[in-house]
Amino acid sequence: MISKPRVHTIAVIPGDGIGTEVTAATIEILQKVEQDLGDFQLRFTHIDWNSENYLRQGYYIPENGLELLERHDAILLGAVGSPDVPDHISLWGLLLPIRKTLNQYVNVRPVHILPGVASPLKNCKVGDLDWVIVRENSEGEYAGQGGTSHGGTPNAIATEVAIFTHAGIERTMRFAFETALSRPRKQLTLVTKSNAQRHGMVLWDQIFDQIRPEYPEVSCDKMLVDAMTVRMVQKPQSLDTIVATNLHGDILSDLAAALSGSIGIAPSSNLDPSRQHPSMFEPIHGSAPDIAGRGVANPLGTIASAAEMLKWLGEDEAAAKIVMAIDAVTVAGTRTRDLGGQVGTEQVTKAIIDHVQSQK
Ligand code: ATP
Ligand code: MG
């Protein structure tokens, strides 16, 4: 008896700038993998929430928009941001409401050096930099609380209140311990700034110390975020899993991606580990208005995010096919300019599709 293919519904938000180019490339690859394996189906819904429509309509997410997302199994996002819209408006108009409403409370950002790609760090090769950054994704410095008094005057005072809750920290921390435990090195580094920020950051330290005894196999240490940037550059081999606040996790993952070769190759997963809401997968880079529309964007960050999405949906074989193709294509030298190569988005996409096909 032939069993029915498993069906997964995917909401695709290409967004702005290179977001549209890299998601189109990724969907082509997903459709190829789906066709080749034949045991699952992806049903895509294209959603045009972007800055162009914001400028016309005054909103990113229409009424009942989040309910539309809720009806899908996962969300694939390109990038949102435009030179015509202040970044805090696009971030708070689209990305943050999705992450918060759909309870995507951890942001997982794996980074490693791809075979054939040169790290800007001297003597740092494949295997020397292999990290997973677990970023708190729902509160902290991105709580959105604060205000401005005497705004627009030389006496202006603005407050930006970071809110950390025991429950919010603990669930992220537990996810990070589990991640560390699942990796060969079983090592977890907590990043804070608890010497200067004496309330929220100290709570992070305390909760870390409370959970540690439950994971005797995980070796743990703590770093201040400033010292952490130095360690990432000078001793990349000494790190494995990293857990950090919303703001620190964001900054460190851009650094991590650049150290691995380019900001264009790093994937991220915004997860609701309880699986009550769909999780969202997106590259860590932005809409890159400086290169948008030229066909030169590196699609690998989005393609790798789609592989993470397939893993989350239980399609491990499909995910592995994509990961293998990414490695093969970078090793073969089919690389975009950010990786020192010569080719554009289309050629990389075609090379990946060819590799997927050759794996049959
Ligand atoms: P946003 O406002 O959406 O965050 P941004 O320009 O501030 O956009 P990024 O989009 O992350 O930030 O771009 C930072 C730099 O990295 C730019 O010079 C951009 O061209 C480059 N870059 C980002 N993503 C890619 C990619 N996928 N391929 C090649 N270069 C990229
Ligand atoms: Mg930006």
Side-chain angles (χ1 to χ4, degrees):
M1 199 182 79
I2 299 168
S3 58
K4 274 219 249 159
R6 301 174 291 278
V7 175
H8 307 291
T9 54
I10 315 291
V12 182
I13 310 175
D16 299 314
I18 63 167
T20 57
E21 302 165 44
V22 293
T23 44
T26 302
I27 287 172
E28 255 186 83
I29 292 162
L30 285 171
Q31 284 172 329
K32 184 74 219 163
V33 175
E34 174 194 4
Q35 212 178 54
D36 275 8
L37 290 173
D39 54 356
F40 70 96
Q41 269 178 19
L42 300 174
R43 300 213 175 122
F44 298 103
T45 309
H46 287 264
I47 297 182
D48 63 351
W49 302 345
N50 56 36
S51 296
E52 200 183 309
N53 284 335
Y54 166 78
L55 288 168
R56 213 155 21 87
Q57 302 163 335
Y59 55 82
Y60 278 92
I61 303 179
E63 223 180 304
N64 304 326
L66 293 170
E67 281 119 78
L68 168 68
L69 293 186
E70 290 272 18
R71 292 199 289 274
H72 292 81
D73 297 319
I75 304 160
L76 183 67
L77 178 88
V80 178
S82 154
D84 302 324
V85 182
D87 279 345
H88 67 274
I89 294 189
S90 48
L91 200 68
W92 280 95
L94 190 91
L95 211 53
L96 294 184
I98 297 177
R99 287 179 180 165
K100 284 173 196 274
T101 312
L102 302 187
N103 203 29
Q104 295 164 350
Y105 67 80
V106 282
N107 190 314
V108 186
R109 299 183 159 191
V111 202
H112 65 277
I113 298 179
L114 294 172
V117 171
S119 164
L121 297 175
K122 266 189 288 171
N123 306 324
C124 190
K125 351 169 265 305
V126 174
D128 286 344
L129 188 164
D130 183 2
W131 307 332
V132 177
I133 299 178
V134 177
R135 167 189 176 192
E136 200 290 313
N137 209 32
S138 66
E139 54 177 40
E141 305 90 339
Y142 290 20
Q145 300 300 312
T148 309
S149 65
H150 309 289
T153 76
N155 297 324
I157 301 175
T159 55
E160 190 74 48
V161 182
I163 299 180
F164 298 99
T165 63
H166 193 294
I169 299 169
E170 184 178 354
R171 63 187 184 175
T172 303
M173 206 90 93
R174 286 194 181 279
F175 188 94
F177 272 99
E178 291 293 332
T179 303
L181 194 61
S182 72
R183 288 170 55 84
R185 288 177 52 196
K186 304 193 193 316
Q187 195 193 316
L188 180 63
T189 302
L190 168 68
V191 178
T192 66
K193 187 65 185 169
S194 58
N195 56 345
Q197 296 188 306
R198 57 196 172 156
H199 305 294
M201 297 286 92
V202 171
L203 188 58
W204 274 75
D205 278 345
Q206 285 167 352
I207 295 172
F208 190 69
D209 290 336
Q210 273 166 20
I211 299 176
R212 269 167 97 145
E214 294 177 37
Y215 292 88
E217 292 150 279
V218 176
S219 63
C220 297
D221 63 348
K222 292 182 191 150
M223 293 292 294
L224 297 173
V225 66
D226 44 348
M228 182 66 170
T229 58
V230 177
R231 181 165 163 195
M232 285 167 75
V233 171
Q234 292 187 339
K235 290 189 183 161
Q237 301 86 348
S238 75
L239 292 161
D240 176 35
T241 311
I242 297 158
V243 63
T245 68
N246 213 329
L247 178 65
H248 293 162
D250 190 29
I251 298 168
L252 294 180
S253 44
D254 266 28
L255 172 60
L259 294 177
S260 77
S262 165
I263 193 177
I265 56 180
S268 87
S269 308
N270 300 276
L271 301 180
D272 169 13
S274 75
R275 291 182 181 267
Q276 284 170 8
H277 307 274
S279 291
M280 177 164 69
F281 302 82
E282 55 168 328
I284 74 155
H285 65 75
S287 59
D290 54 334
I291 57 163
R294 299 192 357 224
V296 297
N298 191 337
L300 294 183
T302 315
I303 297 168
S305 301
E308 295 295 326
M309 178 179 81
L310 288 171
K311 274 190 233 165
W312 186 250
L313 294 171
E315 300 298 348
D316 291 346
E317 192 185 350
K321 261 182 180 284
I322 293 179
V323 170
M324 267 158 51
I326 291 175
D327 284 0
V329 165
T330 52
V331 145
T334 313
R335 297 193 286 263
T336 43
R337 284 189 228 166
D338 56 308
L339 292 176
Q342 308 269 317
V343 305
T345 314
E346 210 180 299
Q347 288 99 315
V348 173
T349 308
K350 186 172 178 307
I352 295 205
I353 288 175
D354 288 347
H355 191 272
V356 164
Q357 229 160 357
S358 73
Q359 289 175 43
K360 269 203 249 176

